[in-house]
Amino acid sequence: MASILSKRLGKRSLLGARVCTPSLAADGMSIEGPGDLTGGAHLGVYDGGCLKECLEESAFPSGNLPPSRFKLYPGQKVYITHNGTEYAGLVEQHNHVDDEVKVLVFELGLHLCRKTEDVRLAETPKTMSIPMEQVMSTNSDASSSAAQRMVSRSIDVPKRRSDALDMDEMMAAMVLTSLSCSPIVQSPPGSDLIAAPQVTCDLWKESGDVSDSGSSTTSGHWSVECGASTPSPPHTETSPKYTSEVFNASHVDEGFETDPDPFLLDEPAPRKRKNSVKVMYKCLWPNCGKLLRSIVGIKRHVKTQHLGDGMDCDQRKREEDFYYTEVQMKDESEAESTPRSPSTATAPLLIQPVTPKPETQVLEVPSVESPLPSALSQSAPGSFWHIQADHAYQALPSTIQIPVSPHIFTSISWAAAPTALPALSPIRSRSLSFSEQQQQQTPSIKSQLIVASPPRAASGSRKVRGEAKKCRKVYGIEHRDQWCTACRWKKACQRFLD
DNA sequence: CGTGCCGGGCC
DNA sequence: GGCCCGGCACG
């Protein structure tokens, strides 16, 4: 039945139905109206309450509804103007073909025929809640209370509104969802987010991108890592950097660079950083290693700095992905907002490659390696010097001591570290001559020795007890006066050297 | 536990 | 610098 169809349409239509025109009313029964019945019509509904009440209540509501195509159902309460007076009535019949409505006006006891457009609908909020089923079942029934109920179902207007609302909400939700889902991904087009429906597509697309980059998979990490979530701190210096990057094509630095794109800063990246761990994207291009906060940023970097315009879009895009990797950096100090020099920037940070790409290996090397040597070079020398002093204290020729005693090894290992130092004093050099030779012969073990030796120095510095007899043993405690001086002094025996 | 001797104090 | 000794490591 057409009514069903129209009803459905009506639901969708936002328009309220209002039909009468003031001037018209005077005509009485004849109704003229628009031919179009298909439009969704919202009819006021009246649940069989008293007419009077309806009149009072509905006098205005219907008026608010814009005149338009609508459908009237038997039993539906409407208002019509007759002889200059408005009367409430019930729809008896709605002739779609002629677009006329037959209305029963109780007050006059008349059946009036009016054009649809001249009929004003009485609408009540109550009707909104009426379920569809009711409507469906009552369609064909023109009389009886059932008809009245039917009317109620027509209340689509409000419902429709809710629908619209839902749609809006959904849209909003989708946008939000996409935002939250694809934190880092947001491409420079972040501004697009503002846009409506179309955006959605892009967003979803983007989200896919996100997972692609691996950020989505790492979300677990974030949740695990607790800590102060640091929403992107103000990066005031970013702007300048950005400009420099943009304008200086040859600009290549390994430094820690904040994301140049202001849009990206406030986005997902901050969110992801639930704790102090932050995700960065590192350029894998040889000798570059640039760090950026966002995928977009790194992509752009790779594109502009390394790939250039040589290749076509597709190829370039693939290349972009290839030349950067995601890394998690543990940022203990909140210094992230301040620029750092290349050397200091990476050291305190824990760089943890997230992506399985082989290139990631490269990342760790620089940051981890650099601090190590420096630490050793600083600590080792001190111990070394101390040892040397000890040897000197005993006033024994270094050439003899070193080869003879098991300490040799120790000495050598220690010596290795100092060699790293550019300048050795003549004295030191002399005492080290032996060990230095060793070191030159086996440069490859240098690092090992360096690492192992420090601990030894502490405990191993003590001279191993010699096998030879000592003065004490020889002469006995009774003849202490016959001991060598060293023995008397409880020093290393010089008479019976091992 | 005896011994070797380092590290350090006293003069 | 000579002398002495507490204390540790080693066997």
Side-chain angles (χ1 to χ4, degrees):
Chain A
M1 205 174 165
S3 63
I4 295 178
L5 209 127
S6 62
K7 285 173 186 177
R8 280 185 186 166
L9 290 173
K11 270 206 162 185
R12 309 232 157 192
S13 151
L14 292 174
L15 303 175
R18 179 244 172 105
V19 195
C20 84
T21 23
S23 56
L24 251 190
D27 284 358
M29 321 275 200
S30 69
I31 297 175
E32 302 173 323
D36 186 347
L37 298 175
T38 59
H42 293 290
L43 306 179
V45 180
Y46 180 62
D47 273 318
C50 72
L51 293 175
K52 214 178 181 182
E53 191 176 338
C54 291
L55 276 172
E56 293 170 0
E57 290 180 6
S58 57
F60 88 99
S62 59
N64 293 336
L65 301 173
S68 64
R69 346 166 149 168
F70 58 88
K71 177 167 173 65
L72 298 175
Y73 303 95
Q76 194 164 11
K77 182 183 178 181
V78 299
Y79 292 95
I80 62 171
T81 303
H82 178 64
N83 291 332
T85 306
E86 184 173 81
Y87 295 97
L90 291 180
V91 174
E92 277 192 339
Q93 195 173 21
H94 183 179
N95 184 333
H96 295 191
V97 176
D98 298 327
D99 200 29
E100 290 182 347
V101 179
K102 208 172 186 181
V103 179
L104 170 61
V105 180
F106 292 95
E107 292 181 59
L108 302 176
L110 297 174
H111 292 275
L112 302 176
C113 234
R114 292 291 162 89
K115 283 288 182 183
T116 305
E117 69 177 275
D118 295 334
V119 175
R120 207 169 29 153
L121 295 174
E123 183 173 347
T124 337
K126 298 173 186 176
T127 57
M128 294 178 62
S129 60
I130 296 174
M132 268 300 260
E133 298 104 293
Q134 281 190 353
V135 177
M136 302 293 269
S137 63
T138 56
N139 286 342
S140 55
D141 191 351
S143 62
S144 81
S145 60
Q148 291 182 340
R149 277 196 182 185
M150 253 198 71
V151 176
S152 63
R153 57 69 187 262
S154 65
I155 316 133
D156 298 341
V157 178
K159 220 189 177 187
R160 210 186 170 342
R161 248 177 229 155
S162 66
D163 281 352
L165 216 165
D166 289 346
M167 291 296 280
D168 289 345
E169 287 177 353
M170 282 183 66
M171 186 58 73
M174 288 176 76
V175 173
L176 289 175
T177 301
S178 63
L179 280 175
S180 62
C181 283
S182 56
I184 293 183
V185 180
Q186 306 329 329
S187 52
S191 55
D192 291 348
L193 295 179
I194 303 168
Q198 300 175 321
V199 175
T200 325
C201 298
D202 293 340
L203 289 176
W204 290 118
K205 217 175 170 186
E206 286 295 307
S207 66
D209 197 355
V210 176
S211 61
D212 191 20
S213 67
S215 63
S216 65
T217 56
T218 57
S219 61
H221 290 270
W222 291 323
S223 62
V224 174
E225 304 151 354
C226 54
S229 69
T230 57
S232 65
H235 304 273
T236 53
E237 77 286 10
T238 56
S239 307
K241 278 211 170 190
Y242 181 47
T243 54
S244 70
E245 184 185 11
V246 171
F247 295 114
N248 185 359
S250 62
H251 166 78
V252 177
D253 79 39
E254 303 213 1
F256 181 110
E257 179 164 283
T258 54
D259 191 341
D261 192 337
F263 285 110
L264 303 174
L265 294 180
D266 290 334
E267 278 184 31
R271 261 205 201 172
K272 278 193 149 189
R273 287 178 236 145
K274 283 208 167 176
N275 54 358
S276 53
V277 174
K278 96 201 227 187
V279 177
M280 302 286 292
Y281 296 89
K282 180 160 187 166
C283 176
L284 296 177
W285 194 272
N287 297 326
C288 183
K290 185 175 228 169
L291 279 172
L292 293 176
R293 284 176 202 284
S294 70
I295 283 183
V296 178
I298 195 67
K299 281 185 177 180
R300 184 175 49 217
H301 163 79
V302 172
K303 196 193 314 172
T304 60
Q305 303 291 313
H306 307 304
L307 298 180
D309 299 333
M311 41 189 86
D312 62 273
C313 287
D314 263 339
Q315 189 179 352
R316 196 191 301 166
K317 212 162 190 185
R318 285 195 300 268
E319 295 288 65
E320 288 169 18
D321 293 336
F322 186 76
Y323 282 112
Y324 74 83
T325 187
E326 180 181 321
V327 297
Q328 286 188 1
M329 310 185 83
K330 185 161 190 176
D331 191 357
E332 296 176 19
S333 63
E334 286 303 297
E336 63 175 18
S337 61
T338 62
R340 312 179 192 183
S341 67
S343 59
T344 58
T346 53
L349 297 175
L350 172 69
I351 298 184
Q352 189 175 33
V354 175
T355 57
K357 296 179 184 178
E359 301 90 326
T360 55
Q361 302 283 344
V362 180
L363 293 178
E364 289 184 282
V365 179
S367 61
V368 174
E369 210 173 31
S370 58
L372 187 54
S374 63
L376 285 174
S377 62
Q378 289 177 352
S379 62
S383 302
F384 172 76
W385 281 94
H386 188 73
I387 289 178
Q388 293 302 317
D390 284 347
H391 286 275
Y393 169 80
Q394 295 185 12
L396 296 175
S398 60
T399 53
I400 296 175
Q401 276 243 341
I402 294 176
V404 175
S405 114
H407 285 104
I408 293 174
F409 182 74
T410 301
S411 296
I412 294 173
S413 62
W414 279 106
T419 57
L421 299 177
L424 293 175
S425 70
I427 297 175
R428 255 220 284 172
S429 298
R430 192 180 156 221
S431 64
L432 291 174
S433 61
F434 175 76
S435 57
E436 281 180 341
Q437 287 179 9
Q438 295 290 318
Q439 184 246 326
Q440 286 178 356
Q441 291 173 359
T442 60
S444 60
I445 62 172
K446 175 180 172 182
S447 62
Q448 286 187 345
L449 291 176
I450 293 174
V451 173
S453 52
R456 267 195 161 203
S459 61
S461 62
R462 197 173 185 116
K463 196 177 176 182
V464 173
R465 187 177 299 182
E467 295 294 319
K469 293 188 177 184
K470 304 296 181 183
C471 297
R472 181 187 183 111
K473 254 183 187 172
V474 173
Y475 304 106
I477 235 181
E478 311 78 13
H479 303 90
R480 192 179 179 185
D481 53 335
Q482 296 183 357
W483 296 2
C484 70
T485 309
C487 283
R488 268 185 276 146
W489 294 350
K490 290 175 81 174
K491 301 296 178 188
C493 178
Q494 291 183 299
R495 185 174 293 176
F496 306 97
L497 299 172
D498 285 331

